[in-house]
Amino acid sequence: AKMGRTVVELFYDVVSPYSWLGFEVLCRYQHIWNIDLRFRPAFLGGIMQATGNKPPATLPKRAEYMLKDIKRMAKYYQVPVQISEGDFQRILCTSSLGAMRFITAIDMTQPRYLEPLSREFWIRFWSQCEDISQPENILAVAGQAGLSSEVAQKLLEMISTPAVKNQLKETTEEAIKYGAFGMPAVVAHFNGEPHLFFGSDRLELLGSVIGE
């Protein structure tokens, strides 16, 4: 078992700033720890609905804390998340469904672009405050990630297909089965069982559980 790599799945949605933090930290750890990191694009809206969870910022005191918390974590982990009070409203008004279907389509067709594409979506939404629900912005993100406009256009057409919709739905349901109620949800498969870690501030704990 020592030789085998621990499979670590990261369920994420680009509308979640904590998902970005967790994503970047795990991207760094995958070169240090003996893990096989798997990116699992899922839909946060679906998880919230299925579990009856509410956006954390709907509690004023928590929103106040989150502003400071995300800024501190962004600085500590050197991830360019920009956040201000108005962003909470912006998140509630933005559907990430199209973006997550687009990311799912790339995962199904050209997975080598999954990491850079996901990162570009976060940069656009969280560093540049752009609306990632608009098709032209989705195409712009794809261009930044190194995809040709021809391929990007094909992927955009794929997001309305049953294959892509079902894949995203299945991944989201899988996260819920593991016990996810929000994002990021990190699942480490260790000693024959799945261990769920919620959030981007439990990654040292994850390391300790899997013997890193």
Side-chain angles (χ1 to χ4, degrees), residues 95-203:
S95 171
S96 62
L97 189 57
M100 294 317 296
R101 281 179 180 160
F102 192 86
I103 292 169
T104 299
I106 203 85
D107 188 25
M108 291 165 75
T109 55
Q110 302 192 49
R112 69 180 188 280
Y113 284 108
L114 188 55
E115 185 186 323
L117 182 73
S118 300
R119 183 176 288 114
E120 289 300 336
F121 268 108
W122 273 302
I123 290 171
R124 186 155 285 250
F125 192 67
W126 284 106
S127 294
Q128 298 164 350
C129 293
E130 295 269 352
D131 181 357
I132 52 165
S133 65
Q134 299 305 313
E136 61 274 17
N137 283 342
I138 291 177
L139 291 173
V141 167
Q144 284 296 121
L147 291 158
S148 71
S149 54
E150 194 184 359
V151 169
Q153 195 58 53
K154 273 204 185 93
L155 289 164
L156 194 60
E157 286 159 22
M158 274 180 77
I159 70 175
S160 52
T161 63
V164 169
K165 288 179 178 178
N166 291 338
Q167 181 59 54
L168 180 60
K169 196 163 176 265
E170 275 166 32
T171 306
T172 304
E173 282 165 2
E174 220 175 302
I176 295 164
K177 274 199 197 99
Y178 284 129
F181 51 87
M183 296 269 191
V186 180
V187 178
H189 297 269
F190 190 67
N191 281 347
E193 57 175 310
H195 300 259
L196 171 73
F197 298 87
F198 170 66
S200 51
D201 55 352
R202 290 289 183 272
L203 300 175

Side-chain angles (χ1 to χ4, degrees), residues 47-58:
I47 290 179
M48 301 292 271
Q49 202 177 354
T51 58
N53 197 353
K54 300 268 181 290
T58 53

Side-chain angles (χ1 to χ4, degrees), residues 45-109:
I47 290 179
M48 301 292 271
Q49 202 177 354
T51 58
N53 197 353
K54 300 268 181 290
T58 53
L59 185 69
K61 279 288 167 202
R62 192 160 176 194
E64 212 176 288
Y65 174 77
M66 272 177 75
L67 272 179
K68 293 178 190 146
D69 187 49
I70 290 171
K71 282 177 183 165
R72 276 193 297 231
M73 288 187 81
K75 189 177 174 191
Y76 179 75
Y77 287 118
Q78 300 288 293
V79 178
V81 184
Q82 302 289 335
I83 190 161
S84 63
E85 268 174 71
D87 284 318
F88 296 132
Q89 198 46 46
R90 196 165 71 92
I91 302 167
L92 294 174
C93 295
T94 302
S95 171
S96 62
L97 189 57
M100 294 317 296
R101 281 179 180 160
F102 192 86
I103 292 169
T104 299
I106 203 85
D107 188 25
M108 291 165 75
T109 55

